[in-house]
């Protein structure tokens, strides 16, 4: 039997983000007999740790939850982590000699763009290097063309949407560089979503006569929850009764919560925090709303499509592809005004949403779990 390929995969942690969920779904569907995988986390934490298959070896730089506060008692630990991780990044030989026990890998895999330098600066010169890009970097602060060009140092660049692919193609300087770019749809598990949606809703009451707009995502400025709440207030002031439900956690949670109180919408807007099963909430909500400022390929829309929701989404990377150019959901301008006009239409022209629902009934998604896992394996095996 052929020898198993030795693969090192790097990611920050397995907290509750789209890229983390996608990585774990991919790992759960890989054949154990073909690969030997070390998963190296900067921080051994996150909701998805328990889902990593047992045959995958987890290695970590530090243990414990993410420290997001500046409380006096947390500062020494925070400083230690930062210095330790910075040292290993600056002197990768220490990491490869120590934690990784001088192991020789065939493939080194950056599961998010933030691990670019760590993999490219690896002391292993003979390993093949892959990066998985989940965000439209042309929209991300700190990434100019020169920074994005660095990714051409990888042997394969996996991107998750047409828009991201176009960004990279426009920066490629040779045919060989163009050939490195592969569009791979995120591996997502439809069956799991449908099964989990049948579970009961906990700690939230859906009012039958009042429409609920749900939004799910990590609470970062990128997700635009601030815009959503401002629009919510505006529509309430105009007499449109409705509720907003935000599911997710993140470093911006307290700011968004404070904004909610400041706008005086605490009775109509709810922030539930993180739940590992948001699907029953999806199921019972009337509309799914994506208020993001930028995305790569919003995994959450796949979930909303799977659960046949009425969708309103800002025009960010991946949305046109996922909503079939606006055939199965409403695409609005990427602005507060855009979100406002989309939500207002939900009240004033509900029949428009019936036509989306009709199209959704017969819609076949081109991104199946099997296809995605197979495509990534093909890249790994081909290097």
């Amino acid at each position: 039997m052929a020898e198993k390929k030795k693969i090192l995969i790097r990611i920050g942690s397995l907290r509750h983000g789209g890229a983390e969920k996608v990585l774990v779904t991919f790992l759960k569907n890989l054949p154990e007999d073909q690969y030997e995988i070390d998963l190296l986390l900067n921080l051994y934490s996150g909701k998805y740790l328990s889902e990593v298959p047992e045959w995958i070896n987890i290695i970590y730089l530090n243990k414990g939850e993410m420290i997001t506060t500046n409380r006096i008692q947390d500062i020494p630990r925070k400083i230690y982590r930062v210095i330790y991780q910075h040292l290993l990044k600056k002197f990768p030989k220490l990491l490869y000699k120590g934690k990784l026990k001088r192991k020789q890998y065939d493939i080194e895999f950056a599961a998010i763009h933030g691990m670019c330098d760590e993999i490219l600066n690896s002391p292993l010169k003979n390993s093949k290097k892959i990066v998985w890009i989940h965000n439209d970097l042309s929209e991300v602060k700190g990434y100019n063309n020169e920074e994005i060009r660095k990714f051409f140092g990888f042997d394969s660049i996996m991107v998750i949407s047409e828009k991201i692919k176009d960004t990279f193609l426009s920066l490629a300087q040779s045919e060989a560089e163009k050939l490195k770019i592969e569009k791979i749809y995120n591996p997502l598990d439809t069956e799991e979503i449908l099964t989990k949606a049948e579970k009961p809703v906990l700690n939230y009451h859906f009012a039958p006569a009042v429409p609920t707009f749900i939004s799910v995502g990590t609470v970062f400025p990128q997700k635009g929850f601030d815009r959503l709440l401002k629009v919510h207030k505006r529509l309430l002031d105009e007499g449109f009764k409705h509720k907003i439900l935000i599911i997710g956690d993140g470093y911006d949670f307290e700011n968004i919560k404070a904004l909610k109180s400041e706008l005086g919408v605490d009775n109509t807007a709810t922030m539930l925090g993180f739940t590992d099963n948001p699907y029953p909430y999806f199921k019972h909500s009337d509309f799914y709303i994506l208020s993001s400022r930028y995305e790569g390929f919003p995994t959450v829309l796949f979930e909303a499509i799977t659960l046949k929701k009425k969708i309103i989404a800002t025009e960010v990377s991946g949305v046109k592809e996922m909503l079939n150019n606006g055939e199965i959901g409403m695409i609005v301008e990427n602005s507060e005004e855009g979100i406002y006009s989309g939500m207002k239409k939900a009240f004033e022209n509900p029949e428009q949403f019936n036509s989306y629902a009709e199209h959704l009934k017969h819609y076949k998604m081109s991104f199946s779990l099997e296809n995605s896992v197979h495509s990534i394996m093909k890249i790994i095996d081909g290097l």
Side-chain angles (χ1 to χ4, degrees):
M1 196 180 135
E3 209 181 313
K4 291 182 182 181
K5 276 209 165 173
K6 293 181 177 60
I7 303 174
L8 175 69
I9 300 177
R10 294 204 62 175
I11 194 165
S13 71
L14 290 179
R15 63 168 185 78
H16 36 274
E20 290 79 359
K21 182 178 176 62
V22 160
L23 174 64
V24 171
T25 305
F26 167 62
L27 295 175
K28 283 186 345 198
N29 288 280
L30 270 186
E32 186 180 341
D33 56 359
Q34 288 183 36
Y35 309 104
E36 186 182 312
I37 294 179
D38 288 346
L39 175 61
L40 174 57
L41 309 172
N42 283 2
L43 192 58
Y44 184 82
S45 82
K47 309 282 182 190
Y48 297 122
L49 272 175
S50 58
E51 292 188 38
V52 176
E54 278 182 1
W55 62 273
I56 287 169
N57 177 32
I58 300 180
I59 305 167
Y60 54 87
L61 304 184
N62 296 113
K63 204 164 185 164
E65 283 310 307
M66 210 165 167
I67 304 172
T68 52
T69 58
N70 282 321
R71 291 182 312 187
I72 296 293
Q73 63 267 40
D74 293 336
I75 288 173
R77 258 173 73 225
K78 204 170 180 178
I79 291 172
Y80 165 72
R81 277 183 191 175
V82 169
I83 292 173
Y84 178 63
Q85 292 184 15
H86 181 70
L87 262 176
L88 293 183
K89 186 172 174 176
K90 202 168 161 54
F91 303 105
K93 281 185 176 158
L94 294 175
L95 171 69
Y96 282 75
K97 263 186 200 162
K99 286 261 179 210
L100 301 178
K101 303 180 174 140
R102 301 177 188 270
K103 189 162 170 181
Q104 295 296 315
Y105 294 100
D106 302 301
I107 305 260
E108 295 189 85
F109 193 154
I112 49 171
H113 69 265
M115 285 288 160
C116 167
D117 295 345
E118 281 83 343
I119 296 288
L120 288 183
N121 297 335
S122 156
L124 304 181
K125 295 300 164 225
N126 294 329
S127 71
K128 296 292 185 188
K129 297 172 178 68
I130 304 176
V131 63
W132 202 345
I133 310 270
H134 296 270
N135 265 324
D136 180 5
L137 297 181
S138 63
E139 301 277 352
V140 177
K141 245 206 244 145
Y143 280 91
N144 54 25
N145 288 352
E146 199 180 330
E147 279 298 310
I148 299 175
R149 283 266 325 137
K150 273 190 190 170
F151 289 94
F152 285 102
F154 284 89
D155 296 286
S156 178
I157 304 166
M158 295 186 346
V159 299
I160 60 172
S161 77
E162 208 51 56
K163 187 167 189 295
I164 303 175
K165 186 177 179 179
D166 290 342
T167 298
F168 275 89
L169 283 173
S170 70
L171 294 173
Q173 290 174 3
S174 67
E175 208 46 48
E177 284 190 346
K178 283 181 183 171
L179 290 172
K180 290 180 176 188
I181 307 159
E182 302 263 7
K183 186 176 83 173
I184 306 279
Y185 284 125
N186 275 340
L188 295 157
D189 195 335
T190 315
E191 286 312 307
E192 183 189 24
I193 294 167
L194 293 169
T195 309
K196 283 183 162 182
E198 295 309 314
K199 297 267 193 307
V201 163
L202 307 167
N203 61 18
Y204 188 75
H205 173 66
F206 286 94
V210 181
T212 298
F213 291 78
I214 188 174
S215 202
V216 180
T218 314
V219 187
F220 290 167
Q222 169 195 345
K223 301 295 179 186
F225 294 135
D226 54 329
R227 311 198 284 189
L228 180 57
L229 288 176
K230 286 173 186 168
V231 168
H232 171 53
K233 165 75 172 150
R234 199 169 147 189
L235 288 166
L236 286 175
D237 288 347
E238 290 176 18
F240 296 106
K241 274 195 174 147
H242 65 292
K243 288 164 89 174
I244 295 281
L245 175 57
I246 294 172
I247 296 183
D249 200 355
Y251 67 74
D252 218 22
F253 191 88
E254 291 307 320
N255 294 336
I256 298 294
K257 210 170 144 189
L259 174 68
K260 186 164 73 76
S261 302
E262 199 183 300
L263 291 168
V265 294
D266 281 336
N267 291 333
T268 49
T270 307
M271 293 179 74
L272 273 188
F274 177 79
T275 165
D276 50 10
N277 184 12
Y279 308 121
Y281 300 93
F282 265 96
K283 189 182 168 192
H284 293 280
S285 295
D286 302 277
F287 292 89
Y288 183 80
I289 183 144
L290 182 87
S291 54
S292 295
R293 289 181 163 88
Y294 64 90
E295 285 285 348
F297 198 74
T299 309
V300 71
L301 272 195
F302 170 90
E303 297 165 342
I305 293 166
T306 302
L307 294 169
K308 308 264 186 265
K309 289 285 96 185
K310 294 171 178 172
I311 296 167
I312 300 168
T314 50
E315 194 179 330
V316 290
S317 166
V319 164
K320 277 187 171 168
E321 273 163 275
M322 294 190 94
L323 295 182
N324 223 14
N325 286 318
E327 188 181 42
I328 57 169
M330 180 178 283
I331 303 172
V332 299
E333 186 188 277
N334 184 358
S335 66
E336 203 174 299
E337 211 40 56
I339 296 166
Y340 168 76
S341 74
M343 286 179 73
K344 195 167 179 177
K345 276 184 190 142
F347 299 107
E348 295 185 334
N349 307 336
E351 59 289 338
Q352 191 170 349
F353 287 89
N354 297 340
S355 90
Y356 298 136
E358 217 26 65
H359 282 122
L360 248 183
K361 270 185 200 161
H362 316 289
Y363 181 61
K364 269 266 168 277
M365 276 189 276
S366 54
F367 13 97
S368 77
L369 178 62
E370 216 176 328
N371 285 351
S372 301
V373 173
H374 184 72
S375 306
I376 300 169
M377 282 173 63
K378 210 168 137 188
I379 291 172
I380 290 172
D381 298 342
L383 285 174

